[in-house]
Each structure stands twice: as structure tokens, then as C-alpha cells.
Amino acid sequence: MFAALSQYKFFKFFRMKLKLLGTFLFLIVTLNTFAQKAILRGNVADVNTGETIVGASVTLDGTTTGAMTDFDGNFEIKNINPGTYTIVCRFISYEAGKFENIVFQANEEKILDFKLGEAVVQVEEVKVVARVNRESENLLLMQQKESALMAENIGAAEMSRKGAGDVASGVKKVSGVSMMGSKQLFVRGLDDRFNSAQLNGLPITSPDPLKKVIKLDIFPSDIVKVLNVNKVYSATNYADYTGALINIETKDFPEEAFWSINFGSGYNSYSTLQPFLKMESAGIGFLGFDVNSRKALTPNSYKEVNRLLEVGPDFNYQSYGYTSDKALPNIDFGFNGGKLFEFNSRQKLGFLVSTSFSNNYEYRPDVLDVSYNKQQNDDGNFINQEYSYNTLFSALLNLAYTHNKNNSFKYNFLFLNNGEDGLKEKRGYKRDWNEDNLLLIRNAEYINYKLLSNQLSGTHVIAPQLEVNWRGSFMKATYDVPDRREIIFQQNANQEWQIFTLNNGNDTKRVITEQNTWEANGYVDATYHLNNEKGTIQVGLLSRYKSQDYHSYFMGYNFLPLGIRNLIVDPTNPNDYLNDATIKKIDVNTTDDMGYQGMLLINSGFADFTYKLNEKMVLNAGLRAEQSSMTVISNTNKIDNDEVQYQFNNIDLFPAFNLKYGLNDASNLRFAMSRTVTRPSFFEKSPARMIPEAGKKQERGNPGTKENPQVDGSYLENSYSNNIDLKYEIYPDNGELISIGIYYKQIIEPIERLSILMGGSDQIYTYRNYNDNATAAGAEFEIKKKFGNLFTGINAAYIYTHITLPESSTELNQERPLQGASPYLINADLGYNLKLSDHKSSYVGLIYNVYGKRLFAVGVSGTGNQYELPFHALDLVIKNKINEKLELNFSVKNMLNSEIRFVQDVYTDLSQPELLTGTVTYNSYRKGISAGFSVNYKF
């Protein structure tokens, strides 16, 4: 069932073939000689009113070459072969415009403006050959207005205007959406588990064992065409999202050949050119491709279970050293290009390639890190110096083949490699360890995320009213923590440093985590278009298979001689004493329950119906059936035939209802209701445990069910939600929007992560369903407005969440908001665009956002809840188009350099938790101000 080896061989074979294909295509393009071709530009307007016409088609008569006018009525047609043409302009309800016998010379540029008059009779339907530019903010708003479903989109143009360099930064610009760090997504107050992510309409797996949604900052904006944020469920999608479904639509092949390179660099006020600590490592650490060399530090022979192992010659003692160099400026560079080959009037082959690399040095000085017990005393008080070196490499290949007007195919390849290389130095005290002796804890952790995705799709027009679409994908995601290294020193009465061995040497330790995930998806649908454009009937089948193999290892050191506790050491040179004279054995504290295997299979079918009831009202109704089967096998770190298999099966129906009422040509009223599901992850449904860094709590899953609960009566099963949305939207003019919406969600037996006591005093995190229902409700407001060259936008959300806890809960309060929910979110931007000519312009924009105080961690057993306080961010973006080929851009981010602060509730009388005494700050830091520039050149 878990044929990892065969899948790995298939992956290597497929990658080799793909490299050959990419090389072949690159040679074709490189050897292709570009002829000096002509360019046609112009404008289309109403002959009587002078108003520009949006969406008009301009074509070279008798060819497939053409373009559509943008929201300013402008068009541009490139790569025109020298010759004589008739230029035709068409738009529904207007008489066609025509310029005959227009002669184009090589390398010539012509300008033709059309003035169209209204047609006296109804014109015939016109098919526009040119593809719509879905990256345009204005066209996306037009699609949003016409859609039968509620949806919010942010295109590449808007992401660029708002300074969003990756998908995580992009989705934060949408109302009701926030991020906690770069890994945790919140939509309408609902955390990661209530949301889902897709890549080009197919599910995308997350490498992180504790996150359902893939880390969104590993998708650079260079590869993104459109981000679809669907907060309302549609039966055409899998039903496992209550907050939002984030669909990342990658860039497509261009109609006109282009090649571009970009380079950028950045400066941070805290890190750049400052001393920067980094753990020693082999491999290509600068590029982030050094996972295998780091894994080699601990050979597989030492990955045992509960054993004291003799150290052999293959063991790497000296792996706790570190370097202290100056941080270089951040850099990013990329290459993009594509072309369309036309074999004849019907057959075409288009491709796009994009590759990029970026790095980022982060330093957080003097981070306050305090832990408080239930007596409100600090049992751990540290000041941290935190360093992180992050890298991101991406490669995208998109191939599209059109066989004829009825049949087309597309292949999409994406590879992402993200490395997070962090080092943390903590100086301070932990009372229950060594009373008042000063401690120095050095923790280094390298995390590598990899994603390799292959997608193939096709569209076929079977009959004039019948269309069939299919998609398939295979992807592999890996999560590696190959060498988390932790070492602790303590200072004696003479202020000399000694190695800290309170736990028999296990304080100096190494933790390794390895996870491989494979996923395959299949999708097919048939859409029938009703007569007179009254609507569509769509039916489809989907299948999703996912397998996961997780293992974690925990190793301590057995020091000799026994008097090592009194050995004076130099913390700046740990390799001087971590050698064969002091380490004879390693104490493998790995347990059998630190590994598991998982398999998920979801088969589903849906029927979706959209019907135009009259000129104003459009109805959409759908029903989806999903049969899901999850299998988890635990105790897999040791092959001793004690593996335990847990299996969970469900069959569910998920209805969706949407109603759109057009109040007039510029406004809509929308209503939606649906039922969705939240499924536990593999880790959450296994009894496996995860070892954190010193001072943090362990994580453990919960395989209990209602029929077979855990000893404490807890269980973990699917949670379901009933959802209602109401929205009013106005589109005053091109590219403008005013909307207000309200929503209500009843979450049945919600899943939450909570802290419980183990062994009398130790606290761990686990997962369970709460018996009572939870509520999530709120209001969202958005406005986009233009005043000539001035762009303004603001979106705001008020969020209310509430949950009642079971009587068995160890929390002080029996009612509270959901974890991570901010009561309010505000995003605003103000920009000015100065157009100097057709190919020369400047844009200056300010972007601001803030989130309200949110519950970060739930306090238990007498400790107060922990909250993250509001954080204000202000960014400046300057974009300059120097000419048709060159762009020069600048940015300043986190200009306010606000403090990120976390507080904990304090109570004088724990028997009266409703009487809050106050709060204490337990964690605070600043990220520094970042400034950068980028240059983009098109060939």
C-alpha cells in the first residue's frame, strides 16, 4: 500500500524525461530567429459620447492575430508580419469599424484609432480570438460581477501594485484573511484546519505534518496569474473548507513571444552587514540544496528505538560549531520567457518557463522569551538572539497544445525548494532546572520543504452545447528536519561555563524528522449549455489519493567521564569537547510511537446547475457526495509486528445553494448557503508524538472515536459546518467596487488543539472534538475607487467567534473565542499612477494593514490565555516603467517597525477566572525595516 520505493523510481524517471523535454524546448526557442515585425496600437471609443469601449476585439482580417481593448480602450498587436491587411474592430451592439489596405513594413509601428457607432440592428455573435488577460485587476472585477458565485480574486497586476512578493502576502490583501507568521492561515477567524489550497483547480498537499494548508510564502508571485479566494462553498470543489479555498492559478503561455530577466536586492535595518550566526553545515547552504549533506551527519544506523548505542567511526561528533559572518544583502533573481508556435490556422503550441531564486537574512535582537506558571511566577526568563537564513527556488514549465478549435491540452510542471536555516541563542534562567544559575541555550534547526507537481488537463467540445474537461495530477512533497541540534550550558559561581547535564546528557541532543507525502488526483466533468444562454448543467467525478510516511528521532549524548558535569568549556567552541574523549555512546530516546504511515482516499461526484430565472436573477444549486477512507498505521519506527492500524470511513452529502439578484446594471445582491466538512490530518488521528525544542510542549495525536474514545473520553472525528452568506456589491465604474457582506457559520463539534496534563505535571498539546457547537460570524466591507490617476482601496472585517468548553476542560474559562481569531482586520492602500507615455509611467503606493488582538494559545491548569496584540504594518511601493523593455522598482516594508508582542492573562484568584487582574508580556520582538529594489528587463 505504501510503495514508496516504486514511486521514487517513477519520480526519478519522470524528472529525467522532463529535463530532456525542457532542454529540447529551450534549444528550439534559442535557435529560432525572430523576424523584424511590426506593431499596431490604438484606441477604441464611442463616436458620439467619446467614451472608451472595453473588451472590443481588433483583428487582422483573415488571420487569428488580434487583441482586446483594456479598460482605457487601448489595444496593442505585436509581431505582425510585413504585408497589407484589413484591420477590423468589433463590439456587440456597435457597427464594425474597418481600415482597409494598411501596409506594414518591417520594424514599423502604426497607430489607428477606431470610432464606433451604435448598430441599428442586432449584430451577430462575434468570437474574439485573443485571450483575456486574467491578470488584469479590472477584468477580474468584471468577471466577479458577472459570476453566479461569490468569489474574490487578486491578479498578478494587483499583487504587484500592492507589493506582494508571494502568495502569502497576496491573500493577506483580501478582506477577512490574515496570517500568523508565514505558516498559519486564518480566514474569518478560522485557522488552518478550516481552509484548503489548490493549484490550478486540483488539491495541493502540504509538506508540514502540522499544517493542512501548504506554506503559501513558498509560491513566488512571479509564477502566479490569479489567486482565487473562495469563501463560499461550491459543489464543484471538495467540501473540506469552511473558511476559504485558496486556488493558485499559475501563469499561462503568452500569445506574443517574450523573454525577461529580473534582479533585486534588499537591505534590512537589523540584519544586513551585521554579525550573523549560523550553524556549520556542508553542501550548498547558500542555495538551500544541502538536505542530503545534513542528513549524512547522522547515519541511518543510529536511528534506533530506545537504545544506548556505541558511537562508531561514522558518527559526526563535531556538528555543533557555528559561524559568525556578516549578513549579506538579500537577493532575488529570475528568468521568464515564452512563445506561441502556430503550425497552421488550427494547431498551436505555446509554452512558458519561469525560474527564480531568492534569499532572506532575518535577525531578531533581544527577543523577550518568558514563561509563567499558574502562580504567575516566571519559571523561565530568557533574552534571545534569533537568526534565520531562508532560501526559495522555483521552476515552472507550462505547455499548451491546441489541436483544433474543439480540442486542447495543457501540461504544468512546478518545483519548489524552500529552506529555513535558523539559530537561536537564549540567555537567562529556568528555575526548575538550576535555580539561579545563568543558562545559555543554543538551538539550531534546518527545515526543508520541497514540492514537485505535475498536472495534465484537456478540454474537448463534443457538440455545440456539450463540453468535457479533465485534469490529473501527481505530486510529491517532503518535509525534512535533518539536524535540529540543541546544546545547553550553565554558568557556575565563578562565572565559568559548564555543559548542562541535568537529564543525564539528553539536554544536548539531536532531533530528526522525515516526512514524505505522495498525492494523485483525477477529475472529469461534462458541461451542457442550455439554449439561449439560460445556464448550464454540470456533472463530474473526482478522486484523490494521498499517502504519507512520517518518522521522528530523538538522540541524547552519554558523556564520559562522569565528572563531565564540572568540565569547564568554551561555548564559542563546542567542537573542542564534543569528541571521542567525552562521547562514547548516544542515548536514543526515540520511541516506536514517533512514526506513522497514513493513506487517504476520497471518491466523489457532483451535479451543479446554474439557471437564469429572468433578466435579474441567477440560481446556482449543487450537490456533492464524498466517500472518504483514512487509514493510519502507528508504531512504525520499529519493525516488531506491534503496528496498530486505525481506519476511519465516512460517506457524506454536501449541498450548496447560491442566488444572485441584479438590482441594476451596476449592483448585485447575493445569497448563499452550504454544508462543509473539516477532517483531521494524519498526524492528528495517529497516537504519534512530536518532540519540540527545549521549553516547548510536545504534540500528540488522538485516534479515539465516539465508539472507541480515549481513556479521558475524548475523540477526534469529522466536524461539519452549516454556512450562510449575504452580500451586496456595487460596481460604480470600470475597476471600482463597493461591497458589504455578512456571514454566519455553525460549526458542529469543532476540532481544537488544546493543552492537557500528562504524568501529573507535564503539559502536551493534543486534539479533540468539543461536544458543543461553535459559532463564527461577522461582516466584511470593501471599496476600490479611482479618482483620475489616484487609486484607493480599503477592506475591513469584523469577526466574532465563540465556543463553549466541556466541563472536563482544564481551561480557566468555560467560554472563549476560537484560537487565532482576530476581532477585526483592516487593509488599505493608496496609490498614484503617472502615465508619461504609452511605455513610460511611474506608480507610488502606500499599503497599510492591522489585525486585532487574537488568542494565540489557550492556558490550562491555572495558567492564563495568551494573546497576540495588534500589529500595524505600513509599506511603500514605487514602480517605474522606463520604456517598453525596462522596469525599475523600489520598496520599503515594515516602515513603522512596530513591536510584535504577546501577553498572558494574570489572575489574583484562580477560583474566580472572570476577575482578570491584568496581563504580563511574555514574548516581544521587532523585525526591522526592509528596503529593496528590483530591475526587470524584457528582450
Side-chain angles (χ1 to χ4, degrees):
M1 181 167 58
F2 301 96
L5 183 60
S6 62
Q7 289 168 325
Y8 178 73
K9 290 180 178 178
F10 170 78
F11 161 68
K12 289 184 65 178
F13 171 79
F14 188 85
R15 186 173 60 178
M16 179 183 69
K17 296 297 183 184
L18 194 61
K19 285 182 177 179
L20 292 174
L21 176 61
T23 303
F24 176 71
L25 285 172
F26 183 78
L27 288 173
I28 290 177
V29 176
T30 304
L31 296 174
N32 185 64
T33 303
F34 292 97
Q36 296 297 313
K37 298 184 179 182
I39 299 174
L40 173 63
R41 297 187 178 90
N43 183 272
V44 180
D46 188 297
V47 69
N48 296 316
T49 66
E51 293 184 0
T52 58
I53 298 175
V54 181
S57 67
V58 181
T59 59
L60 307 185
D61 198 27
T63 74
T64 60
T65 303
M68 291 181 65
T69 57
D70 60 21
F71 271 87
D72 295 318
N74 298 320
F75 68 89
E76 181 179 73
I77 304 175
K78 294 182 179 180
N79 296 326
I80 301 175
N81 292 318
T84 302
Y85 299 91
T86 295
I87 315 300
V88 181
C89 177
R90 296 184 177 92
F91 191 70
I92 295 174
S93 77
Y94 282 86
E95 295 283 0
K98 184 182 296 186
F99 287 95
E100 296 182 334
N101 299 320
I102 304 299
V103 179
F104 289 92
Q105 304 293 337
N107 208 28
E108 182 182 13
E109 181 177 326
K110 285 187 182 294
I111 297 177
L112 296 176
D113 294 332
F114 289 88
K115 303 293 183 181
L116 303 185
E118 292 188 6
V120 178
V121 295
Q122 183 177 0
V123 299
E124 295 181 356
E125 178 185 0
V126 177
K127 289 187 177 180
V128 179
V129 177
R131 293 184 301 152
V132 174
N133 177 17
R134 295 198 62 239
E135 298 179 10
S136 164
E137 184 176 353
N138 295 333
L139 289 175
L140 286 172
L141 278 178
M142 179 186 291
Q143 290 180 345
Q144 180 176 318
K145 173 188 172 185
E146 299 300 325
S147 174
L149 304 174
M150 292 188 207
E152 297 174 60
N153 304 308
I154 179 168
E158 184 176 0
M159 289 179 63
S160 176
R161 181 169 64 82
K162 295 182 176 180
D166 53 58
V167 169
S169 301
V171 297
K172 286 194 294 186
K173 312 300 182 185
V174 177
S175 63
V177 181
S178 65
M179 299 285 297
M180 189 177 287
S182 64
K183 301 180 182 179
Q184 200 157 358
L185 173 71
F186 290 87
V187 181
R188 293 177 165 180
L190 303 175
D191 68 6
D192 174 84
R193 74 175 67 259
F194 293 98
N195 303 296
S196 291
Q198 288 184 343
L199 182 68
N200 297 316
L202 290 171
I204 183 168
T205 193
S206 170
D208 194 326
L210 295 180
K211 295 290 179 289
K212 175 184 173 185
V213 176
I214 190 170
K215 237 169 64 82
L216 296 178
D217 63 344
I218 71 173
F219 294 89
S221 57
D222 291 347
I223 69 170
V224 177
K225 178 165 65 175
V226 180
L227 290 180
N228 312 117
V229 182
N230 303 293
K231 300 179 200 170
V232 173
Y233 167 66
S234 166
T236 58
N237 295 315
Y238 283 102
D240 58 343
Y241 66 96
T242 300
L245 172 65
I246 311 294
N247 181 51
I248 304 167
E249 189 176 339
T250 56
K251 288 188 175 180
D252 210 343
F253 69 92
E255 289 192 341
E256 298 167 355
F258 85 96
W259 301 101
S260 71
I261 58 173
N262 63 275
F263 172 81
S265 185
Y267 171 89
N268 180 272
S269 60
Y270 286 165
S271 62
T272 307
L273 303 180
Q274 299 300 313
F276 193 87
L277 272 59
K278 192 178 178 185
M279 195 66 91
E280 289 179 348
S281 64
I284 313 175
F286 177 78
L287 297 177
F289 288 95
D290 54 347
V291 174
N292 291 334
S293 60
R294 291 174 184 258
K295 285 185 175 181
L297 294 174
T298 308
N300 288 329
S301 58
Y302 296 95
K303 297 174 182 177
E304 293 283 349
V305 174
N306 282 336
R307 291 185 62 187
L308 189 63
L309 297 178
E310 295 282 347
V311 174
D314 59 344
F315 186 78
N316 189 305
Y317 297 101
Q318 299 186 347
S319 55
Y320 283 81
Y322 64 96
T323 60
S324 180
D325 299 321
K326 286 190 176 181
L328 299 174
N330 302 328
I331 63 169
D332 64 84
F333 55 84
F335 169 78
N336 300 274
K339 187 177 180 181
L340 176 65
F341 298 92
E342 297 187 60
F343 304 113
N344 51 49
S345 60
R346 295 181 301 172
Q347 295 178 321
K348 304 176 185 179
L349 175 65
F351 78 93
L352 179 137
V353 292
S354 176
T355 183
S356 67
F357 170 82
S358 64
N359 68 5
N360 183 35
Y361 291 86
E362 292 184 4
Y363 171 48
R364 298 176 182 174
D366 302 328
V367 177
L368 179 66
D369 185 2
V370 185
S371 58
Y372 290 91
N373 56 28
K374 64 182 179 180
Q375 288 79 30
Q376 316 308 329
N377 298 320
D378 61 303
D379 58 2
N381 194 325
F382 293 91
I383 298 295
N384 303 346
Q385 310 300 318
E386 300 180 0
Y387 307 84
S388 180
Y389 175 70
N390 302 319
T391 61
L392 174 61
F393 173 82
S394 70
L396 170 71
L397 170 66
N398 188 297
L399 295 173
Y401 172 69
T402 300
H403 185 67
N404 52 44
K405 66 178 182 179
N406 294 329
N407 297 280
S408 61
F409 305 87
K410 185 181 292 185
Y411 170 72
N412 183 282
F413 167 82
L414 177 64
F415 174 71
L416 300 172
N417 183 82
N418 174 220
E420 297 180 357
D421 195 355
L423 188 146
K424 182 188 300 182
E425 278 207 348
K426 308 172 63 170
R427 289 177 183 263
Y429 304 89
K430 188 164 177 59
R431 309 302 179 194
D432 61 346
W433 280 8
N434 63 347
E435 294 298 332
D436 296 325
N437 289 344
L438 181 65
L439 293 173
L440 170 59
I441 302 176
R442 186 178 297 131
N443 186 291
E445 181 175 58
Y446 179 75
I447 305 176
N448 180 265
Y449 305 85
K450 276 194 181 72
L451 176 71
L452 186 142
S453 170
N454 299 275
Q455 295 183 329
L456 186 65
S457 61
T459 298
H460 310 278
V461 179
I462 308 300
Q465 293 175 278
L466 181 61
E467 181 179 295
V468 173
N469 295 278
W470 57 268
R471 299 191 288 271
S473 70
F474 173 79
M475 65 184 64
K476 180 183 179 183
T478 60
Y479 173 87
D480 279 303
V481 185
D483 60 345
R484 199 184 88 211
R485 292 168 270 180
E486 188 169 291
I487 187 168
I488 305 177
F489 308 91
Q490 66 176 345
Q491 204 171 66
N492 61 22
N494 297 323
Q495 296 186 342
E496 298 169 315
W497 289 107
Q498 299 173 321
I499 191 166
F500 181 72
T501 55
L502 176 67
N503 297 310
N504 298 319
N506 290 331
D507 306 289
T508 298
K509 59 178 176 287
R510 175 169 293 159
V511 178
I512 300 168
T513 301
E514 301 169 341
Q515 177 176 284
N516 293 302
T517 306
W518 297 268
E519 180 165 331
N521 289 277
Y523 171 98
V524 62
D525 76 46
T527 302
Y528 181 79
H529 298 267
L530 302 177
N531 291 328
N532 302 319
E533 298 183 352
K534 280 288 188 178
T536 59
I537 299 174
Q538 185 178 12
V539 295
L541 297 172
L542 301 89
S543 186
R544 182 182 188 186
Y545 172 82
K546 181 178 179 180
S547 68
Q548 192 170 93
D549 193 2
Y550 171 90
H551 297 282
S552 184
Y553 306 93
F554 172 35
M555 304 172 184
Y557 293 88
N558 191 269
F559 289 99
L560 293 175
L562 296 178
I564 191 72
R565 291 172 185 259
N566 300 318
L567 179 67
I568 306 302
V569 298
D570 179 5
T572 64
N573 242 327
N575 288 339
D576 282 352
Y577 61 89
L578 291 176
N579 50 50
D580 56 3
T582 57
I583 302 175
K584 299 298 184 182
K585 298 179 180 179
I586 59 171
D587 198 358
V588 181
N589 291 278
T590 302
T591 61
D592 202 10
D593 65 354
M594 291 170 64
Y596 66 85
Q597 293 175 322
M599 186 276 287
L600 174 69
L601 178 63
I602 302 178
N603 293 311
S604 59
F606 71 87
D608 191 72
F609 176 63
T610 301
Y611 188 75
K612 190 175 182 180
L613 299 173
N614 53 46
E615 291 301 317
K616 292 181 175 292
M617 191 174 296
V618 179
L619 167 71
N620 171 266
L623 181 65
R624 183 184 191 90
E626 291 189 355
Q627 183 272 327
S628 61
S629 175
M630 176 187 282
T631 301
V632 178
I633 302 174
S634 67
N635 293 355
T636 61
N637 268 11
K638 183 179 181 181
I639 307 302
D640 53 5
N641 298 319
D642 72 337
E643 292 76 22
V644 180
Q645 178 172 303
Y646 303 90
Q647 188 156 6
F648 315 95
N649 299 298
N650 292 92
I651 298 177
D652 298 290
L653 294 176
F654 301 103
F657 176 85
N658 293 271
L659 189 64
K660 169 190 167 186
Y661 183 77
L663 298 172
N664 52 49
D665 290 341
S667 62
N668 295 321
L669 184 64
R670 299 177 181 271
F671 173 78
M673 58 190 302
S674 62
R675 180 175 185 260
T676 54
V677 64
T678 301
R679 296 186 175 97
S681 69
F682 287 132
F683 178 79
E684 293 170 350
K685 283 301 295 177
S686 78
R689 63 192 182 101
M690 190 176 293
I691 307 298
E693 66 178 80
K696 300 289 181 69
K697 299 175 185 176
Q698 290 189 25
E699 303 266 354
R700 186 186 293 271
N702 182 348
T705 62
K706 287 184 179 179
E707 291 75 19
N708 296 290
Q710 298 286 77
V711 176
D712 62 358
S714 67
Y715 57 87
L716 184 62
E717 295 188 342
N718 290 351
S719 171
Y720 298 89
S721 302
N722 298 317
N723 317 291
I724 297 176
D725 285 78
L726 183 65
K727 187 176 185 180
Y728 174 59
E729 55 190 22
I730 307 172
Y731 298 84
D733 205 345
N734 294 330
E736 297 183 351
L737 168 68
I738 301 173
S739 72
I740 184 169
I742 58 175
Y743 64 89
Y744 173 83
K745 299 177 182 293
Q746 180 193 48
I747 306 173
I748 302 167
E749 293 194 318
I751 301 171
E752 279 242 313
R753 175 175 177 258
L754 73 159
S755 181
I756 63 173
L757 291 176
M758 291 288 290
S761 60
D762 293 334
Q763 293 183 6
I764 68 165
Y765 285 118
T766 188
Y767 310 85
R768 64 172 295 172
N769 293 94
Y770 284 133
N771 298 328
D772 290 324
N773 299 336
T775 298
E780 296 172 343
F781 170 78
E782 182 172 14
I783 181 170
K784 294 182 179 181
K785 183 66 179 174
K786 294 180 181 178
F787 300 94
N789 292 330
L790 188 67
F791 293 77
T792 61
I794 183 171
N795 64 64
Y798 166 75
I799 299 169
Y800 169 81
T801 61
H802 179 268
I803 186 172
T804 301
L805 308 179
E807 293 183 1
S808 60
S809 170
T810 57
E811 297 183 31
L812 288 179
N813 298 288
Q814 295 303 302
E815 297 181 54
R816 60 167 170 82
L818 292 175
Q819 189 173 351
S822 294
Y824 65 86
L825 300 168
I826 300 174
N827 296 294
D829 66 279
L830 177 66
Y832 183 80
N833 186 56
L834 178 61
K835 188 173 183 180
L836 303 174
S837 66
D838 287 345
H839 300 293
K840 190 173 183 180
S841 63
S842 293
Y843 175 83
V844 179
L846 283 171
I847 301 97
Y848 168 80
N849 62 71
V850 62
Y851 53 77
K853 177 182 175 181
R854 57 192 180 190
L855 179 61
F856 178 75
V858 176
V860 296
S861 304
T863 59
N865 290 338
Q866 297 175 348
Y867 295 89
E868 183 179 4
L869 298 186
F871 175 77
H872 301 264
L874 181 66
D875 300 338
L876 171 68
V877 175
I878 302 174
K879 305 181 73 65
N880 297 284
K881 191 172 183 181
I882 308 302
N883 52 46
E884 187 177 4
K885 295 184 176 182
L886 180 63
E887 286 187 14
L888 184 60
N889 306 316
F890 301 90
S891 67
V892 183
K893 297 189 175 182
N894 196 31
M895 295 169 63
L896 302 177
N897 197 20
S898 298
E899 183 182 46
I900 299 174
R901 191 155 67 99
F902 299 82
V903 299
Q904 181 171 319
D905 287 343
V906 174
Y907 302 91
T908 301
D909 186 354
L910 295 179
S911 65
Q912 300 184 64
E914 68 279 3
L915 300 178
L916 179 64
T917 304
T919 60
V920 290
T921 300
Y922 72 90
N923 185 226
S924 65
Y925 59 90
R926 299 178 191 270
K927 299 171 68 174
I929 301 172
S930 297
F933 77 93
S934 65
V935 179
N936 185 287
Y937 185 80
K938 288 186 178 181
F939 295 92

